[in-house]
Amino acid sequence: MKLLREKCFIDGAWVGSDDTIAVLDPYDQSVLGTVPALSANQASKAIAAAREASASWGATTAATRASILRKMHGWVLENLEPLAQLVTAESGKPIKESRGEVRYSASFLSWFAGEAERAYGRIVPASRAGRQIQVVMQPVGPCAVITPWNFPSAMIARKVAPAIAAGCTVVCKPAEITPYSGLVWGVIAEECGLPRGVLNIVTGDPVSIGRTLTGSPIIRKVTFTGSTKVGKLLMADSAATMKRVSFELGGNAPFIVCNDASVDAAVEHAMAAKFRNAGQTCVAANRFFIHEDCHDEFVTKMVAATSKLTVGSGHEEATDVGPLINKQGAAKVRRLLSAAVDAGAEVVGGIIPENGATLIGPVVATGVTNEMPLAREEIFGPVVAIQKFADVDDVIQKANDTNYGLAAYACTHNQERIAKFSAELEYGMVGFNTGLMSTAEAPFGGLKESGLGREGGQEGIGEYLSAKYVCLQ
Ligand code: ADP
C-alpha cells in the first residue's frame, strides 16, 4: 500500500485541488511530490464533515473508541518502517530517530485508549437534601489540530489520540513542509475503521486555512504546536468565538550541571538533550550552565563527544545529525553564532556553518552570556552554547530570565539542590539526570510564553473534555 498520499482526506474521501504545494527533501532540496493547496471553501467542507460526524462519534462508547485506538496503535507499529521512511524523507531526520518518533506516536494511541476508558465523571455529595450533583464529562466538539514539521508524525498523534479518545472529531492541518506524515493518518483512519468525518486532514496555505479554522463557530477547540508568534495569532483569532485552546510553543531550555554531578553522565545527557533532530526540538537544551568547578572538563568532553557524531543524509543508518529543515533555519543558526562570537563568545568545537548550507556539523561555544541572542532565542540547531556559573541562586535566576518556560534540565544528585530546582525553575517540565523525559504517560507542556495546556498523562484527555454539571432535585 502506498503511504505517500498527495491528496487531502475529507469526510472519508481523498480530495485534490488545482493548486498544489511542492514538498522538498531537506537534504538535497529535490522535490518529493506535491500536496493540495486547498481553498478556504474546501477547508470548510472538512469542518462540515467534522460537525456532521460529531454527534454520533461523541455518543460511541468509550470501549468502542478505545478499541479503534488500539487498532491504530497496532497498525502504526506494524507499519513502523515505511512510516519512519516517510518522516525522514520530508523532515531530513536520521532514520533511527524517525523510528523512535513513530514508536512514540504509537505510544499515545495506546495511552489514550486507556484514558478513554478512565475519563470518569463523578457524583458530588450535595449540601441540599434530595439533590444529586452529577459531573458529566463530554467531548469538547470538533477540534482544529495544527502541527509543526519537527515531529511530523508524533505531534499529530499527541493531539489526535486524546481527541478521538474523548469523542471529539478533528480537522488537522499538518505543516506544509512535512505534510505526508500527516496525510498518512487518513490511511490509518481508513485501515482501522474510524468512521468517516471523525478525522479530516487538510493541507494548504497556513494563513488561509488557519483563519478558516479559527474563524469557524463549529470548531470548538484549537490545539497547536509551533512558534510562539503563530500561537499568539491563533489565540487572538480564536477569541471571537471563545474557543478552548491548548498550545505547545517555543522553548529556551536551560541545562544545568552542578559540581556534584558526574561529568561523563552529564555529557551523555547533554548529547541526548541537544542533538535529537539536529537540535530542532522545543525541549532541546538551548543554554548550558556549567558550574565553574567542572566547566573545563565538561567542555573538553563535550567537544570530544560531538566530534564523534556523523553528519549526513537522514536515510543513512550511521547518521546522527541530519540536515536542518531548510536554508532559513540554517541561516538563523549562523546569525546567532556570528553575533555571539562578535560579542565575545568562542567557538571551541566545530565551525560556524557556511552560508546556504543546511547540513551543519555540531558546534560548541563557550563564554556565552544570557544577554546574547544565542541565549535569548530558540537556536533550533546543533549548537552547544555554554555559560559558566558559581552559585545556585544565580543560575536559577539566569535560567528563569526568559519569556519561555517549557523544559529545564539539571544534573545533580544533591537532594537540597533537587528540591530547590524543582520548586524554583519556572518551567512546565524539569528533568534531573536525564536528557530525555517526554513520554505518553506524563503531562507535557509549558509555562509563560511556551504555552497553555498539557499533552499526555492524565491531564492530556482533559483538554478535550468539558465538565457538565447536571443538578437533579
Ligand atoms: P515553525 O517556526 O516551527 O515553522 P510555525 O509556527 O511557523 O513554526 O508553524 C507551525 C504550524 O503553524 C505549521 O502547521 C504552519 O503551517 C502553521 N502556521 C504558520 N503560520 C500560520 C498562521 N498564520 N496561521 C495558522 N497556522 C500557521
Side-chain angles (χ1 to χ4, degrees):
M1 187 197 320
K2 195 170 185 287
L3 295 187
L4 190 153
R5 297 294 174 109
E6 295 186 282
K7 289 188 170 172
C8 293
F9 187 67
I10 299 175
D11 204 14
W14 294 94
V15 177
S17 73
D18 293 339
D19 289 340
T20 56
I21 301 172
V23 183
L24 304 183
D25 179 332
Y27 180 65
D28 59 11
Q29 316 296 312
S30 62
V31 176
L32 293 171
T34 62
V35 289
L38 291 189
S39 63
N41 193 29
Q42 285 175 303
S44 297
K45 292 202 171 121
I47 297 174
R51 173 178 56 189
E52 198 60 27
S54 183
S56 57
W57 182 245
T60 51
T61 62
T64 300
R65 298 193 298 273
S67 149
I68 292 178
L69 282 166
R70 291 199 176 97
K71 221 165 161 186
M72 292 168 81
H73 171 253
W75 196 93
V76 167
L77 290 180
E78 274 161 31
N79 292 277
L80 188 129
E81 191 56 31
L83 290 170
Q85 296 288 351
L86 215 49
V87 171
T88 288
E90 60 185 0
S91 74
K93 181 177 293 198
I95 184 66
K96 52 196 179 196
E97 285 189 27
S98 297
R99 291 183 192 119
E101 176 175 346
V102 175
R103 247 179 248 119
Y104 179 68
S105 292
S107 72
F108 285 94
L109 295 164
S110 66
W111 172 259
F112 283 110
E115 287 301 288
E117 294 170 325
R118 288 187 290 271
Y120 311 128
R122 64 191 197 278
I123 293 179
V124 181
S127 57
R128 177 189 284 226
R131 173 168 288 191
Q132 191 185 69
I133 293 174
Q134 296 179 349
V135 182
V136 182
M137 301 312 287
Q138 292 191 314
V140 166
C143 298
V145 165
I146 301 178
T147 54
W149 48 263
N150 61 345
F151 288 90
S153 167
M155 293 304 102
I156 294 178
R158 225 154 69 163
K159 298 174 189 302
V160 164
I164 290 175
C168 297
T169 56
V170 170
V171 179
C172 171
K173 192 206 78 62
E176 59 284 4
I177 319 179
T178 56
Y180 296 128
S181 301
L183 292 170
V184 77
W185 285 86
V187 179
I188 300 170
E190 280 181 328
E191 291 291 311
C192 300
L194 202 62
R196 80 186 165 83
V198 173
L199 177 59
N200 305 276
I201 325 275
V202 299
T203 56
D205 172 55
V207 176
S208 150
I209 298 201
R211 288 219 180 107
T212 307
L213 292 169
T214 51
S216 165
I218 296 166
I219 297 291
R220 294 315 316 147
K221 175 187 167 83
V222 176
T223 170
F224 168 75
T225 296
S227 60
T228 295
K229 181 172 138 238
V230 173
K232 288 178 182 177
L233 278 176
L234 294 174
M235 190 164 183
D237 289 349
S238 299
T241 45
M242 202 52 80
K243 297 187 200 314
R244 287 269 293 266
V245 291
S246 52
F247 293 142
E248 202 264 277
L249 308 174
N252 184 3
F255 188 103
I256 301 166
V257 181
C258 295
N259 57 358
D260 69 283
S262 144
V263 172
D264 289 328
V267 166
E268 193 186 313
H269 304 320
M271 295 297 287
K274 181 73 241 184
F275 288 104
R276 211 156 46 109
N277 202 15
Q280 303 171 109
T281 79
C282 47
V283 293
N286 212 53
R287 293 172 295 156
F288 287 83
F289 293 101
I290 314 299
H291 192 274
E292 59 186 10
D293 291 352
C294 55
H295 173 272
D296 294 356
E297 184 187 351
F298 180 86
V299 171
T300 305
K301 289 185 168 169
M302 203 64 193
V303 170
T306 54
S307 69
K308 290 195 191 112
L309 293 174
T310 303
V311 182
S313 159
H315 290 289
E316 303 291 335
E317 289 292 335
T319 295
D320 301 305
V321 179
L324 294 198
I325 190 70
N326 54 27
K327 291 192 171 146
Q328 294 92 301
K332 178 183 181 185
V333 173
R334 192 182 143 74
R335 168 175 68 77
L336 294 176
L337 266 172
S338 301
V341 168
D342 288 347
E346 192 188 349
V347 170
V348 293
I351 50 165
I352 296 185
E354 278 170 33
N355 223 346
T358 55
L359 213 52
I360 293 182
V363 180
V364 180
T366 55
V368 176
T369 67
N370 226 22
E371 289 68 43
M372 293 176 181
L374 187 63
R376 302 223 69 83
E377 294 181 35
E378 209 175 12
I379 304 170
F380 251 52
V383 178
V384 181
I386 300 179
Q387 310 187 35
K388 203 186 266 188
F389 79 93
D391 174 73
V392 167
D393 283 310
D394 177 50
V395 81
I396 291 175
Q397 186 271 322
K398 283 209 171 89
N400 289 339
D401 178 22
T402 168
N403 293 336
Y404 294 110
L406 191 58
Y409 306 87
C411 293
T412 176
H413 290 281
N414 177 306
Q415 289 304 323
E416 246 172 71
R417 286 180 191 151
I418 289 177
K420 193 169 170 67
F421 286 138
S422 302
E424 295 180 23
L425 285 171
E426 294 166 357
Y427 287 83
M429 300 175 280
V430 186
F432 290 97
N433 307 307
T434 179
L436 292 174
M437 58 175 148
S438 175
T439 179
E441 64 274 22
F444 186 108
L447 306 179
K448 292 153 82 177
E449 293 187 23
S450 287
L452 295 169
R454 294 294 180 266
E455 295 187 324
Q458 188 186 326
E459 289 77 4
I461 195 167
E463 303 285 342
Y464 299 84
L465 291 168
S466 197
K468 180 177 276 180
Y469 162 34
V470 178
C471 178
L472 297 173
Q473 188 73 45

mmCIF file of all heavy atoms in Angstrom, residues 16-21 35-38:
data_model
loop_
_atom_site.group_PDB
_atom_site.id
_atom_site.type_symbol
_atom_site.label_atom_id
_atom_site.label_comp_id
_atom_site.label_asym_id
_atom_site.label_seq_id
_atom_site.Cartn_x
_atom_site.Cartn_y
_atom_site.Cartn_z
ATOM 1 N N GLY A 16 -8.328 16.216 -4.068
ATOM 2 C CA GLY A 16 -7.225 17.018 -4.620
ATOM 3 C C GLY A 16 -7.666 18.456 -4.848
ATOM 4 O O GLY A 16 -8.774 18.840 -4.505
ATOM 5 N N SER A 17 -6.759 19.253 -5.432
ATOM 6 C CA SER A 17 -7.140 20.619 -5.805
ATOM 7 C C SER A 17 -6.261 21.070 -6.961
ATOM 8 O O SER A 17 -5.215 20.466 -7.215
ATOM 9 C CB SER A 17 -6.998 21.571 -4.620
ATOM 10 O OG SER A 17 -5.629 21.798 -4.381
ATOM 11 N N ASP A 18 -6.697 22.128 -7.651
ATOM 12 C CA ASP A 18 -5.923 22.608 -8.807
ATOM 13 C C ASP A 18 -4.568 23.147 -8.354
ATOM 14 O O ASP A 18 -3.544 22.852 -8.949
ATOM 15 C CB ASP A 18 -6.698 23.720 -9.532
ATOM 16 C CG ASP A 18 -7.967 23.163 -10.166
ATOM 17 O OD1 ASP A 18 -8.009 21.933 -10.381
ATOM 18 O OD2 ASP A 18 -8.906 23.943 -10.411
ATOM 19 N N ASP A 19 -4.589 23.934 -7.294
ATOM 20 C CA ASP A 19 -3.325 24.482 -6.795
ATOM 21 C C ASP A 19 -2.630 23.445 -5.916
ATOM 22 O O ASP A 19 -3.295 22.739 -5.152
ATOM 23 C CB ASP A 19 -3.595 25.725 -5.932
ATOM 24 C CG ASP A 19 -4.060 26.887 -6.787
ATOM 25 O OD1 ASP A 19 -3.808 26.845 -8.005
ATOM 26 O OD2 ASP A 19 -4.701 27.799 -6.238
ATOM 27 N N THR A 20 -1.316 23.414 -6.054
ATOM 28 C CA THR A 20 -0.571 22.460 -5.220
ATOM 29 C C THR A 20 0.646 23.139 -4.588
ATOM 30 O O THR A 20 1.067 24.211 -5.014
ATOM 31 C CB THR A 20 -0.072 21.247 -6.048
ATOM 32 O OG1 THR A 20 0.714 21.735 -7.125
ATOM 33 C CG2 THR A 20 -1.211 20.390 -6.555
ATOM 34 N N ILE A 21 1.196 22.463 -3.589
ATOM 35 C CA ILE A 21 2.423 22.928 -2.916
ATOM 36 C C ILE A 21 3.459 21.821 -3.097
ATOM 37 O O ILE A 21 3.151 20.647 -2.883
ATOM 38 C CB ILE A 21 2.174 23.136 -1.406
ATOM 39 C CG1 ILE A 21 1.062 24.174 -1.178
ATOM 40 C CG2 ILE A 21 3.448 23.538 -0.688
ATOM 41 C CD1 ILE A 21 0.645 24.284 0.288
ATOM 42 N N VAL A 35 1.330 18.470 -2.615
ATOM 43 C CA VAL A 35 0.079 18.270 -1.853
ATOM 44 C C VAL A 35 -0.885 19.382 -2.258
ATOM 45 O O VAL A 35 -0.456 20.433 -2.736
ATOM 46 C CB VAL A 35 0.290 18.306 -0.322
ATOM 47 C CG1 VAL A 35 1.032 17.081 0.153
ATOM 48 C CG2 VAL A 35 0.976 19.574 0.136
ATOM 49 N N PRO A 36 -2.172 19.164 -2.056
ATOM 50 C CA PRO A 36 -3.135 20.193 -2.447
ATOM 51 C C PRO A 36 -2.969 21.477 -1.633
ATOM 52 O O PRO A 36 -2.672 21.427 -0.445
ATOM 53 C CB PRO A 36 -4.498 19.552 -2.129
ATOM 54 C CG PRO A 36 -4.240 18.082 -2.069
ATOM 55 C CD PRO A 36 -2.837 17.933 -1.569
ATOM 56 N N ALA A 37 -3.154 22.608 -2.340
ATOM 57 C CA ALA A 37 -3.304 23.895 -1.639
ATOM 58 C C ALA A 37 -4.813 24.141 -1.648
ATOM 59 O O ALA A 37 -5.357 24.737 -2.576
ATOM 60 C CB ALA A 37 -2.557 24.989 -2.376
ATOM 61 N N LEU A 38 -5.475 23.640 -0.635
ATOM 62 C CA LEU A 38 -6.943 23.705 -0.610
ATOM 63 C C LEU A 38 -7.431 25.148 -0.517
ATOM 64 O O LEU A 38 -6.799 25.984 0.126
ATOM 65 C CB LEU A 38 -7.495 22.943 0.595
ATOM 66 C CG LEU A 38 -7.376 21.427 0.653
ATOM 67 C CD1 LEU A 38 -8.186 20.895 1.827
ATOM 68 C CD2 LEU A 38 -7.825 20.757 -0.636
#
